[in-house]
Amino acid sequence: MGFEYKLKAKFTDKQTTEIQNLLKSSVLFEKKYEYAHQLFWDFRYMENTGKIPNISIIFEEDGIYICQYGSSYVWKNLDELKNYIEKEQIKYQIIDYQD
């Protein structure tokens, strides 16, 4: 079980594509796959050889769902995503599902 968050924001199609390209170019990017009608993006540290990835992301209509399996910090290894959102001045709210 991981730490679950939602970056609630209204992303344009262009921004979503740019974010997906940014994430796909990450050295931690492992794979995309569909499960229960949702497209998951998984990220894994090289030393992690287990079944569970380090981060899973789902793009949703109202933002980006993030599950951090090894850290309680939403931005762990997602600095590029955070920098992009700040650079583009996208207003967002972090929903912490642990609260």
Side-chain angles (χ1 to χ4, degrees), residues 10-91:
K10 298 217 183 270
F11 297 105
T12 66
D13 290 341
K14 180 180 183 260
Q15 289 169 332
T16 299
T17 299
E18 289 175 348
I19 290 170
Q20 289 175 344
N21 289 337
L22 180 74
L23 292 173
K24 197 173 187 179
S25 68
S26 167
V27 295
L28 298 179
F29 176 72
E30 181 182 32
K31 64 182 175 182
K32 290 190 295 187
Y33 63 95
E34 189 172 326
Y35 178 76
H37 305 292
Q38 292 184 304
L39 184 62
F40 284 75
W41 294 60
D42 283 353
F43 300 83
R44 178 182 300 272
Y45 305 147
M46 269 176 141
E47 62 274 8
N48 179 355
T49 59
K51 290 184 179 181
I52 298 174
N54 294 93
I55 304 169
S56 287
I57 290 178
I58 302 171
F59 289 88
E60 299 177 333
E61 283 186 28
D62 61 345
I64 300 172
Y65 166 86
I66 298 171
C67 185
Q68 288 277 4
Y69 293 99
S71 173
S72 61
Y73 179 57
V74 66
W75 298 115
K76 173 111 171 135
N77 291 306
L78 295 174
D79 293 329
E80 292 160 345
L81 173 59
K82 183 178 182 185
N83 292 339
Y84 176 87
I85 290 171
E86 289 174 356
K87 181 186 79 156
E88 293 292 313
Q89 299 178 347
I90 299 169
K91 292 181 183 174

